[in-house]
Amino acid sequence: MTFLGVVDSITSVFRKSPFATGGSLTAGLLALGVISDLGGAGQFMCQQSWFRPVCSVLHLQGVASPAEQKMWDSAAKGQTCDGYRTYIATYADGEFASQATARLTAARRIESETFLAPQDFVLPVAHRADLTPYPTEAAARAAALASAESYARDTTCAGYASGEFRLKGVRVEADGWTCRSYRGGTICGFDQGKAVCTVSARTISVAEDCSVR
């Protein structure tokens, strides 16, 4: 922009300023002072709210351009870390770079815990017949399965009950049954069973919070 163009831009703002009665000559002198920063005039004028639009359009004294101001306003309103990073990446030496950096530095880490959908893990298990007789073979098998499931929960599947996992359920599927008569009843065991451990794995997600409190 030419010097006369600068003067015209400043004059349009100047007419609304506290110095409006001084005429265009004063506006021209102010323009010269702002551009050359004589006696710190540029810095002083660009700090005035009524003159800031001119400094913004001409990008004087480090005042944000309209595009930069729009991006900063959006970042400050959203208060997201990504918004501040985008601003810094675009305007590394921008007017609000130090503020954006400070908010990123002060960001809080927020951790949230969730568990994935349960999955089945299959492990081998066997159960020797205990010496408690039951009136029927069905009752003896049911008792053997219940005992095997208790064992699987406490031992076979126990590794999935803590840390990064949650044990949601245990069931035993038996094969290779051996049943026999004992003391007027029936006892049963099996040697080809499998313990099905239903497990949900824990995941930790981390988010950043750059909001101002």
Side-chain angles (χ1 to χ4, degrees), residues 52-138:
R52 181 179 171 85
V54 171
C55 298
S56 176
V57 170
L58 303 179
H59 200 45
L60 299 174
Q61 299 298 320
V63 174
S65 66
E68 179 186 346
Q69 184 69 55
K70 182 178 180 180
M71 180 174 286
W72 170 251
D73 289 343
S74 177
K77 181 178 180 180
Q79 295 191 29
T80 66
C81 297
D82 285 343
Y84 293 130
R85 287 194 183 93
T86 299
Y87 171 84
I88 292 175
T90 308
Y91 300 101
D93 298 319
E95 181 180 1
F96 308 102
S98 61
Q99 294 183 51
T101 300
R103 294 188 184 181
L104 285 171
T105 301
R108 295 176 294 277
R109 284 171 52 92
I110 300 176
E111 294 186 355
S112 58
E113 178 184 81
T114 57
F115 286 89
L116 302 178
Q119 291 181 293
D120 288 342
F121 293 86
V122 179
L123 300 172
V125 67
H127 180 71
R128 295 178 59 184
D130 60 37
L131 300 181
T132 301
Y134 291 88
T136 65
E137 182 176 320

